[in-house]
Amino acid sequence: MEVIPSGKALGAEIQGVDLRQIRAHEFESIYRAWLDHQILLFRGQQLTDEDLIAFSRRFGELEFAPIQETGRRFVEGHPEIYVVSNVVENGEPIGSLGAGEANWHTDMSYLEDPPRASVLYALELPPEGGDTYFCSMYRAYESLPDKLRRRLARLTLKHDATYNSGGYVRQGSVATDDPLNSPGRYHPLVCTHPETQRRLLYLGRRRNAYIRGLTLSESEALLDELWSYATRETCVWHIVWEVGDLVLWDNRCTMHRRDRFDASSRRIMHRTQIKNDACPTA
Ligand code: SIN
């Protein structure tokens, strides 16, 4: 098994491993590489849903998939699997997010204890488009000027629960674009990773975000400034998917976004998520 760093702010490809049959010492190396590189790419896998669940479970207890914007919950018999897809069958989408762009976000950061990791496995892909970009929130924090970093200490940020990253209203939510009153959860703007102890900028998502205690215009200006650092090229690595790719990300210290693709082509991804054992803390 070989770990090949991307050479960017985050990301590594792991070669020479079949995720259906990893041994204890290989899992230890994968776990270490995951903490070191934040995103791991494994190409050429041949996983059933059961294999995907078994590999994901090695990292901890799994979340049940959130309810999709269509009201559907999960793959029959596998409540842990969330489908990201634009495919429509019998008049009903089989998954979430359609074929449009998915904006930068950390998965489910509107919860008190968002998942610690997400695992995304590519089953069907369009001929082009649908690339996924990841950014390092360690690097984002480290790239802030000292004065700005000091200003963030003790500030908390609301992570909106109204919209998913595709801009769809979540099941049970009412559309609103009022950051002061939208539903969501506050987390510290600067968090410490519970395992690496590294400091990171915790932004979650931009829409309806609000920094407690500031006026709305102060909050918007500070957030725009922080986002301009976080999504710079120097913080980002991106993946051009191949069928059989599995990507594992540390959801505590990264954000991701996805390019749009031709809606008449098919893209089907299966995702699992690993429960957190600690909520984001400063
Ligand atoms: C996601 O935002 O979880 C989906 C990313 C993708 O479709 O590549």
Side-chain angles (χ1 to χ4, degrees), residues 82 84-85 96-97 102-103 105 107 118 120 130-134 165 241 249 256-259 261 267 269 271 273:
Y82 181 72
V84 177
S85 184
S96 278
L97 297 181
N103 294 316
H105 65 285
D107 286 333
S118 299
L120 192 61
D131 300 351
T132 305
Y133 295 68
F134 295 92
S165 58
W241 291 92
W249 64 86
H256 55 282
R257 65 165 289 279
R258 184 197 74 194
D259 281 342
F261 55 95
R267 188 176 188 269
M269 319 287 278
R271 188 186 79 182
Q273 292 185 305

Side-chain angles (χ1 to χ4, degrees), residues 78-110:
H78 292 307
E80 304 89 348
I81 291 187
Y82 181 72
V83 181
V84 177
S85 184
N86 65 315
V87 172
V88 176
E89 278 173 7
N90 303 322
E92 198 190 351
I94 65 162
S96 278
L97 297 181
E101 178 182 354
N103 294 316
W104 283 113
H105 65 285
T106 292
D107 286 333
M108 295 157 74
S109 63
Y110 54 88

Side-chain angles (χ1 to χ4, degrees), residues 169-222:
V169 175
R170 289 184 196 285
Q171 191 72 8
S173 292
V174 177
T176 172
D177 281 300
D178 174 5
L180 293 175
N181 295 304
S182 69
R185 183 70 62 170
Y186 283 90
H187 296 295
L189 245 180
V190 177
C191 291
T192 303
H193 192 288
E195 292 186 84
T196 66
Q197 304 305 317
R198 291 178 68 184
R199 309 273 280 164
L200 60 108
L201 187 61
Y202 196 58
L203 292 180
R205 64 193 64 227
R206 181 66 184 87
R207 194 166 183 181
N208 280 349
Y210 169 66
I211 301 173
R212 183 152 38 200
L214 304 190
T215 64
L216 186 54
S217 61
E218 286 168 343
S219 169
E220 289 290 304
L222 181 51

